[in-house]
């Protein structure tokens, strides 16, 4: 008898029933809960493969955002971009992500995680690649905004998708392992930029269009998103989502597939689960599904209302504050990181050690005084831009690997407090350190530790909110974070010039506030 396919890679044997007696497990009269069934399905290759694919989804969003920090300096002369326009284009991906996160969360909670991930990744790669045809500020802004609209789905939905294939005891650890690919993405764009921009060839197309190396980078940076989209075509839908939609038998079939692959067996004779017992949240979700169809807007409102009810509202606000602080550092300050380090090391070549704020404020005022009229366009991307972006990515990978190894033994709330506190201390310490190498290390630590808070917050959201609104909750908390990221990337440069020390103290204070609010989150 031919197997019935849940996906093109993971097949499900629909003709065998679990024989609980063979394993000595007597199934409960009313069936197993989802977490019990997932525990019996085992932990192994399925979770590892899906964590890699989910990590590549995170990497896709990093590539589209951080890749622009390398493309913009190389394209500014060809596109005639000034500093203000570069700042707007650089933040366009975050703006697009912020505007579409709510809608993607609604679709993921009502249509499915896997199908949204698949199509959104293909759309991301399409608009990411098409960005290479931009010939001016407006066209590049529109294309990068549309790329951000599409990449918002994998940036948030992968947390719900992977979390629903993993038992609560290992959920944070697997999400942490997936986040390693965020650091890999930073390394990827820096190495790709270093390699591609070392050439200076020009290909003339249709007599007027100049295809240069920086245009090729759009394709290179978005290639992982395209490959990730192909991979998700062969993945099953989340069994937890299927259960919440009343598709119990499909959910059970996926769990049997997980059992066979993890146990490396060709049958499900040892899988004791024959029926699934609905959790209270699944009962509520099915009751909502059974109601008559409503319009799109009303349906979205109904999908959001549970998040805004107590006690979820309090947890939602806390997670939003966490993401605002984390994204302001990781996204806002992170995008300025290569430029800041270039200024520090350019000044450091004179041999005179000074504090970071003295250097930044002096260099910025000097630029405005001496380069007012006779400024020649310079599209050379300095070596330091690649080097320090690469170092930042390596720091991220190492820390993610270390944390993934210890997270199962350390309470997640402790890790959140630790990350926020260390990042805040690094921000304050930057005001008193004059050694250029120590400054580079502190900057890397602040950005990496703050960025890791994003993962921990999303892991908490997956744990706290019920299945039927989980993707929506992740999307909304990330939306507030992306907004702070866009605002921070646009105004941090101005704030640095006006009052650099106060800027760092404000960002550090926000992180300390997040550390304190962590204790109000519920225990696992």
């Amino acid at each position: 008898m031919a197997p019935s396919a849940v996906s093109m890679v993971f097949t499900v044997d629909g003709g065998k029933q679990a024989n609980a007696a063979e394993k000595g497990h007597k199934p409960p009269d009313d069936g197993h809960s989802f977490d019990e069934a997932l525990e019996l399905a085992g932990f192994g290759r399925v979770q590892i493969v899906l964590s890699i694919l989910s990590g590549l989804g995170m990497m896709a969003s990093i590539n589209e955002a951080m890749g622009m920090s390398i493309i913009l300096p190389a394209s500014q002369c060809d596109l005639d971009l000034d500093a203000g326009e570069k700042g707007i284009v650089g933040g366009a991906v975050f703006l697009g992500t912020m505007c579409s996160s709510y809608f993607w969360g609604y679709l993921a909670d009502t249509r499915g995680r896997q199908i949204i991930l698949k199509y959104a990744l293909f759309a991301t790669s399409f608009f990411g690649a098409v960005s290479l045809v931009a010939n001016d500020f407006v066209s590049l802004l529109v294309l990068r905004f549309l790329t951000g609209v599409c990449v918002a789905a994998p940036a948030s939905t992968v947390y719900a998708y992977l979390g629903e294939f993993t038992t609560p005891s290992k959920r944070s650890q697997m999400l942490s392992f997936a986040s390693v690919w965020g650091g890999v993405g930073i390394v990827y764009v820096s190495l790709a930029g270093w390699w591609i921009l070392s050439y200076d060839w020009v290909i003339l197309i249709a007599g007027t269009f100049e295809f240069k190396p920086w245009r090729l980078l759009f394709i290179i940076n978005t290639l992982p998103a395209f490959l990730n989209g192909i991979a998700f075509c062969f993945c099953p839908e989340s069994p937890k989502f299927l259960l919440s939609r009343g598709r119990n038998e499909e959910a059970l079939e996926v769990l049997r597939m997980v059992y066979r692959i993890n146990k490396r067996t060709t049958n499900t004779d040892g899988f004791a689960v024959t029926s699934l017992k609905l959790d209270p949240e699944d009962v509520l979700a099915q009751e909502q599904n059974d109601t008559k169809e409503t319009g799109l807007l009303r349906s979205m409102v109904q999908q959001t209302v549970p998040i805004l009810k107590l006690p979820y509202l309090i947890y939602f606000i806390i997670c939003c504050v966490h993401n605002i602080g984390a994204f302001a550092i990781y996204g806002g300050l992170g995008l300025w990181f290569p430029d800041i380090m270039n200024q520090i090391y350019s000044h450091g070549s004179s041999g005179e050690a000074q504090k970071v704020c003295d250097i930044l404020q002096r260099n910025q005022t000097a630029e405005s005084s001496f380069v007012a009229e006779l400024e020649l366009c310079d599209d050379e991307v300095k070596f330091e831009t690649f080097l320090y972006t690469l170092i930042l990515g390596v720091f991220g990978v190492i820390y993610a690997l270390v944390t993934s190894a210890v997270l199962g033994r350390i309470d997640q709330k402790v890790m959140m407090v630790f990350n926020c506190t260390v990042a805040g201390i690094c921000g304050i310490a930057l005001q008193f350190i004059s050694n250029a190498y120590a400054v580079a290390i502190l900057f890397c630590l602040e950005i990496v530790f703050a960025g890791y808070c994003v993962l921990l917050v999303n892991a908490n959201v997956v744990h706290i909110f019920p299945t039927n609104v989980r993707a929506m909750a992740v999307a909304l908390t990330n939306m507030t974070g992306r907004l702070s990221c866009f605002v921070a990337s646009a105004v941090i440069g101005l704030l640095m010039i006006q009052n650099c020390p106060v800027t760092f103290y404000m960002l550090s204070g926000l992180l300390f506030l997040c550390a304190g609010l962590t204790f109000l989150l519920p225990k696992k």
Side-chain angles (χ1 to χ4, degrees):
M1 178 176 170
S4 60
V6 168
S7 70
M8 296 174 65
V9 166
F10 301 121
T11 56
V12 177
D13 188 355
K16 299 209 174 190
Q17 297 293 330
N19 186 351
E22 291 185 10
K23 283 292 188 179
H25 296 294
K26 183 179 179 180
D29 294 335
D30 56 348
H32 290 82
S33 69
F34 178 78
D35 285 341
E36 291 171 344
L38 197 57
E39 192 75 45
L40 291 172
F43 177 86
R45 288 187 292 176
V46 170
Q47 284 78 13
I48 292 174
V49 170
L50 291 182
S51 69
I52 293 174
L53 295 182
S54 299
L56 289 173
M58 300 177 192
M59 177 180 173
S61 64
I62 294 293
N63 285 11
E64 298 298 343
M66 294 299 294
M68 286 305 296
S69 66
I70 292 176
I71 292 175
L72 283 173
S75 63
Q76 60 183 348
C77 296
D78 294 321
L79 301 181
D80 193 24
L81 302 176
D82 58 32
E85 291 172 337
K86 286 192 294 182
I88 294 174
V89 171
V93 170
F94 298 116
L95 186 62
T97 302
M98 179 200 71
C99 292
S100 62
S101 291
Y102 180 81
F103 185 67
W104 285 122
Y106 166 77
L107 289 179
D109 278 333
T110 56
R111 299 295 183 265
R113 298 13 173 160
Q114 182 261 357
I115 191 171
I116 294 302
L117 283 169
K118 175 177 61 178
Y119 289 121
L121 284 164
F122 284 138
T124 297
S125 61
F126 172 77
F127 287 112
V130 171
S131 297
L132 68 87
V133 304
N135 269 328
D136 54 26
F137 165 71
V138 175
S139 60
L140 183 59
L141 176 64
V142 170
L143 288 170
R144 297 317 294 167
F145 175 81
L146 292 175
T147 304
V149 167
C150 298
V151 83
S156 300
T157 308
V158 290
Y159 292 97
Y161 182 76
L162 177 59
E164 290 171 354
F165 273 95
T166 312
T167 56
S169 61
K170 293 183 179 294
R171 184 171 294 150
S172 297
Q173 194 169 18
M174 293 311 297
L175 289 173
S176 177
F177 178 73
S179 73
V180 170
W181 291 91
V184 173
I186 298 176
V187 173
Y188 176 87
V189 297
S190 59
L191 289 178
W194 199 348
W195 171 43
I196 298 298
L197 295 181
S198 64
Y199 299 98
D200 57 359
W201 44 261
V202 178
I203 300 175
L204 200 61
I205 301 176
T208 57
F209 184 79
E210 293 183 342
F211 188 78
K212 292 186 175 182
W214 64 265
R215 295 186 184 274
L216 179 60
L217 273 182
F218 282 113
I219 298 177
I220 300 296
N221 289 344
T222 203
L223 183 60
F226 178 73
L227 297 177
N228 197 209
I230 294 176
F232 270 112
C233 291
F234 304 108
C235 293
E237 182 55 85
S238 159
K240 183 67 169 174
F241 169 79
L242 294 173
L243 185 63
S244 72
R245 306 301 289 184
R247 298 155 64 179
N248 297 32
E249 187 58 33
E250 292 179 62
L252 189 55
E253 293 294 312
V254 174
L255 289 170
R256 288 171 181 156
M257 172 273 296
V258 173
Y259 174 84
R260 287 202 319 275
I261 295 179
N262 283 344
K263 302 298 183 180
R264 303 188 181 186
T265 181
T266 58
N267 58 66
T268 57
D269 292 345
F271 190 48
V273 181
T274 57
S275 63
L276 292 173
K277 177 175 59 178
L278 295 180
D279 296 328
E281 63 180 59
D282 297 321
V283 174
L284 177 62
Q286 289 196 18
E287 289 176 353
Q288 293 176 350
N289 296 337
D290 293 337
T291 59
K292 62 181 181 179
E293 292 293 327
T294 59
L296 175 62
L297 182 59
R298 186 173 181 180
S299 176
M300 294 178 69
V301 171
Q302 290 177 347
Q303 191 72 19
T304 310
V305 167
I307 301 175
L308 304 180
K309 292 182 178 180
L310 295 175
Y312 293 127
L313 177 60
I314 296 175
Y315 302 145
F316 174 70
I317 293 173
I318 293 173
C319 291
C320 285
V321 174
H322 266 284
N323 267 357
I324 288 173
F327 271 104
I329 304 290
Y330 181 64
L333 189 60
L335 287 177
W336 283 91
F337 174 72
D339 182 65
I340 291 174
M341 296 311 301
N342 276 339
Q343 293 188 47
I344 292 172
Y345 274 85
S346 296
H347 182 275
S349 61
S350 64
E352 181 185 356
Q354 289 193 25
K355 297 175 183 177
V356 59
C357 281
D358 295 335
I359 297 172
L360 292 178
Q361 291 180 308
R362 178 178 299 179
N363 286 356
Q364 292 289 352
T365 53
E367 287 179 8
S368 61
S369 301
F370 295 109
V371 198
E373 296 183 1
L374 298 177
E375 181 178 359
L376 296 176
C377 185
D378 180 14
D379 60 2
E380 179 188 0
V381 184
K382 303 297 188 293
F383 166 78
E384 287 81 5
T385 300
F386 305 115
L387 177 62
Y388 299 127
T389 306
L390 178 64
I391 292 174
L392 179 63
V394 171
F395 263 62
V397 170
I398 293 174
Y399 183 67
L401 288 172
V402 172
T403 306
S404 300
V406 303
L407 195 56
R409 304 175 180 86
I410 300 177
D411 185 78
Q412 185 174 309
K413 290 170 67 172
V414 174
M415 287 297 299
M416 290 182 67
V417 173
F418 175 74
N419 277 267
C420 291
T421 303
V422 171
I425 291 174
C426 289
I428 293 176
L430 281 168
Q431 313 312 307
F432 307 100
I433 302 298
S434 58
N435 182 275
Y437 297 105
V439 167
I441 292 174
L442 287 174
F443 260 121
C444 287
L445 290 176
E446 181 179 14
I447 295 171
V448 168
F449 277 85
Y452 208 82
C453 290
V454 176
L455 166 84
L456 295 172
V457 171
N458 286 329
N460 261 310
V461 172
V462 171
H463 164 69
I464 294 170
F465 291 91
T467 309
N468 61 311
V469 296
R470 182 171 292 152
M472 175 74 81
V474 174
L476 287 176
T477 54
N478 280 338
M479 184 178 72
T480 59
R482 300 287 179 180
L483 174 61
S484 79
C485 186
F486 175 73
V487 173
S489 63
V491 304
I492 277 181
L494 178 62
L495 291 176
M496 290 286 188
I497 298 172
Q498 299 299 324
N499 200 323
C500 180
V502 170
T503 304
F504 280 108
Y505 287 135
M506 288 173 56
L507 293 174
S508 297
L510 184 57
L511 290 171
F512 291 138
L513 172 63
C514 293
L517 291 175
T518 300
F519 294 102
L520 299 179
L521 293 174
K523 293 182 179 180
K524 286 197 171 186

